[in-house]
């Protein structure tokens, strides 16, 4: 029976029967995989504390070639991300990031860039105490992650007329996935008005590694725009209701 061994993060952990758990992993080598951790809820289980959401581990599982559900053999922690689980503000944002990956990533479809990005996001989130900065990190993560699954927003010229983006304001059309110029924005019902600075900041974030995003500063106006743009963009293209988004309002 094939063995699956990979660095992985836990996206989700769900109870199965009295003592087992189904773990959704996002693995570096195989993409998203699900595995049963037998007896995981028993007090003396070898999986205790290892199959919690956001744990970064080395996992070994086995199962048939195309099985939907594997059996988890071991999960050795590399980084526990306890700082994220034990702080409600960080936890909420980590949930949104994990849910986006879970909802948009097909099983057994590798996404190395997405994997590295998720890890970078959780590492940065662990250290960030400012809630507003945590929000910006989350939105920029989502934006960058969407690019890794083929949805890179088009920010260079107008998606309606192809014209240049000039002036203090522009529009963003989540359905077409890009920016709309100041002339077209009034006749495009799907576009919402945003500051040009927000579009530029998003454009710069897409060109930078996640670790360097700290250099980008957003005042409340820009941050509000980025929130609106990214939430709309993700909602339209991932086409699922992000349940965890509701946590952010708590
Ligand atoms: Zn235009």
């Amino acid at each position: 029976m094939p063995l699956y061994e990979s660095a992985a993060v836990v996206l989700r952990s769900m109870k199965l029967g009295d003592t087992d758990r189904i773990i959704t992993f996002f693995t570096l080598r195989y993409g998203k995989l699900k595995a049963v951790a037998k007896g995981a809820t028993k007090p003396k289980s070898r999986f205790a504390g290892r199959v919690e959401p956001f744990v970064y581990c080395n996992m070994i599982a086995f199962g048939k070639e195309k099985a939907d559900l594997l059996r988890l053999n071991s999960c050795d922690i590399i980084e526990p991300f306890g700082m994220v689980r034990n702080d409600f503000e960080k936890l909420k944002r980590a949930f949104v990031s994990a849910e986006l990956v879970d909802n948009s990533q097909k099983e057994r479809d590798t996404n190395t860039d997405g994997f590295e990005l998720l890890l970078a996001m959780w590492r940065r989130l662990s250290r960030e105490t400012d809630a507003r900065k945590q929000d910006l990190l989350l939105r920029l993560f989502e934006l960058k992650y969407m690019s890794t699954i083929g949805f890179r927003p088009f920010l260079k010229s107008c998606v309606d007329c192809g014209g240049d983006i000039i002036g203090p304001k522009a529009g963003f059309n989540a359905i077409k996935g890009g920016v709309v110029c100041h002339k077209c924005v009034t006749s495009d019902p799907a576009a919402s008005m945003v500051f040009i600075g927000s579009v530029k900041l998003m454009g710069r974030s897409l060109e930078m590694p996640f670790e360097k995003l700290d250099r980008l500063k957003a005042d409340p106006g820009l941050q509000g725009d980025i929130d609106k743009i990214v939430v709309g963009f993700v909602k339209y293209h991932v086409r699922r209701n992000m349940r965890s988004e509701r946590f952010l309002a708590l």
Side-chain angles (χ1 to χ4, degrees):
M1 211 177 284
L3 205 71
Y4 298 81
E5 183 173 2
S6 178
V9 291
V10 175
L11 296 176
R12 231 174 137 190
S13 171
M14 229 170 59
K15 218 168 168 240
L16 174 72
D18 287 338
T19 57
D20 304 342
R21 298 196 80 87
I22 296 181
I23 315 302
T24 305
F25 289 103
F26 185 31
T27 74
L28 184 61
R29 281 173 88 172
Y30 316 101
K32 194 169 87 171
L33 286 180
K34 284 187 184 144
V36 176
K38 285 272 186 196
T41 60
K42 288 183 184 167
K44 287 188 180 169
S45 165
R46 63 201 162 100
F47 297 121
R50 292 166 182 246
V51 286
E52 306 292 326
F54 322 126
V55 161
Y56 175 34
C57 63
N58 241 320
M59 62 86 85
I60 298 178
F62 54 91
K64 289 191 183 134
E65 196 72 49
K66 286 183 179 159
D68 289 335
L69 205 54
L70 305 171
R71 186 162 167 164
L72 189 63
N73 186 63
S74 64
C75 178
D76 293 325
I77 294 180
I78 302 170
E79 281 177 68
F81 285 111
M83 291 273 281
V84 171
R85 263 194 317 283
N86 298 326
D87 177 316
F88 188 56
E89 292 302 313
K90 293 175 183 172
L91 180 79
K92 291 190 289 187
R93 290 161 179 98
F95 258 120
V96 176
S97 60
E99 195 186 25
L100 172 61
V101 174
D102 192 15
N103 281 351
S104 61
Q105 198 67 45
K106 283 191 209 126
E107 294 203 13
R108 306 201 185 206
D109 198 359
T110 52
N111 179 356
T112 315
D113 289 345
F115 182 87
E116 298 294 349
L117 200 59
L118 188 61
L119 265 183
M121 153 68 178
W122 290 351
R123 283 178 183 142
R124 187 62 199 85
L125 184 64
S126 294
R127 297 193 308 271
E128 185 54 68
T129 52
D130 183 310
R132 231 167 56 81
K133 283 190 188 155
Q134 290 175 358
D135 275 337
L136 185 63
L137 285 171
L138 172 64
R139 296 311 177 202
L140 296 181
F141 158 78
E142 291 176 291
L143 197 69
K144 289 171 85 64
Y145 178 78
M146 290 297 281
S147 303
T148 72
I149 54 167
F151 296 106
R152 187 183 172 102
F154 190 74
L155 303 173
K156 291 205 162 74
S157 54
C158 176
V159 289
D160 286 340
C161 73
D164 290 338
I165 305 298
I166 42 168
K169 291 227 167 187
F172 189 85
N173 183 323
I175 300 164
K176 291 181 181 168
V179 71
V180 176
C181 76
H182 67 290
K183 285 185 210 148
C184 295
V185 71
T186 46
S187 54
D188 182 342
S192 54
M193 190 81 93
V194 293
F195 290 109
I196 194 106
S198 312
V199 174
K200 286 189 176 159
L201 194 145
M202 292 195 306
R204 281 206 299 277
S205 78
L206 289 172
E207 307 296 332
M208 290 165 87
F210 197 85
E211 292 76 6
K212 302 215 164 133
L213 291 185
D214 275 346
R215 293 179 188 173
L216 303 177
K217 303 275 178 276
D219 63 33
L222 299 198
Q223 185 133 357
D225 276 354
I226 293 168
D227 223 55
K228 183 170 68 180
I229 292 172
V230 177
V231 170
F233 185 59
V234 167
K235 200 168 172 183
Y236 186 79
H237 295 283
V238 176
R239 287 179 184 276
R240 288 209 200 182
N241 248 328
M242 297 282 288
R243 286 174 303 134
S244 55
E245 271 292 335
R246 281 182 242 136
F247 290 148
L248 289 182
L250 296 176

